[in-house]
């Protein structure tokens, strides 16, 4: 399944905002390291911040479980993400 997570999963992921469906443009997979059993996947989409409203991350998994998995993300949670202060 490491090969699927590293190379095939990107085509199975979309971000839904209202009626818009944004394809995953970039993903990076990091396999478990050391004592950790966590698999990490970083995802990137085109301009999702310009689309206001609740979002749904959809994974149509045809390799591991055969299921469609949805992660609901509230706009209010996105609005409450702290910003990093940078030096001018």
């Amino acid at each position: 399944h490491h090969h699927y997570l590293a190379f095939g999963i990107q085509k199975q992921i979309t971000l839904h905002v209202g009626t818009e469906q944004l394809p995953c443009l970039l993903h990076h997979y990091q396999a478990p390291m050391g004592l950790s059993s966590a698999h990490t996947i970083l995802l990137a989409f085109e301009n999702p911040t310009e689309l206001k409203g609740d979002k749904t991350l959809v994974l149509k998994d045809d390799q591991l479980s055969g299921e469609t998995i949805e992660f609901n993300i509230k706009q209010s949670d996105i609005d409450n993400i702290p910003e990093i202060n940078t030096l001018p």
Side-chain angles (χ1 to χ4, degrees):
H1 68 276
H2 290 280
H3 186 268
Y4 170 64
L5 294 174
F7 300 105
I9 199 169
Q10 179 175 341
K11 298 173 189 169
Q12 312 297 328
I13 298 172
T14 54
L15 183 66
H16 297 226
V17 186
T19 59
E20 297 286 330
Q21 292 186 24
L22 303 169
C24 181
L25 297 179
L26 173 95
H27 92 290
H28 173 75
Y29 168 69
Q30 183 174 331
M33 299 175 68
L35 298 176
S36 173
S37 62
H39 295 258
T40 303
I41 301 175
L42 175 69
L43 305 172
F45 300 89
E46 184 177 349
N47 297 324
T49 56
E50 291 181 5
L51 299 171
K52 292 293 183 185
D54 295 346
K55 297 163 178 57
T56 304
L57 182 70
V58 178
L59 168 60
K60 292 185 178 182
D61 178 27
D62 62 357
Q63 297 292 314
L64 301 176
S65 69
E67 302 282 333
T68 296
I69 303 164
E70 296 184 359
F71 299 93
N72 296 311
I73 306 161
K74 295 180 183 178
Q75 182 65 46
S76 60
D77 291 338
I78 295 170
D79 292 340
N80 289 322
I81 295 173
E83 292 186 21
I84 297 174
N85 293 326
T86 58
L87 297 175

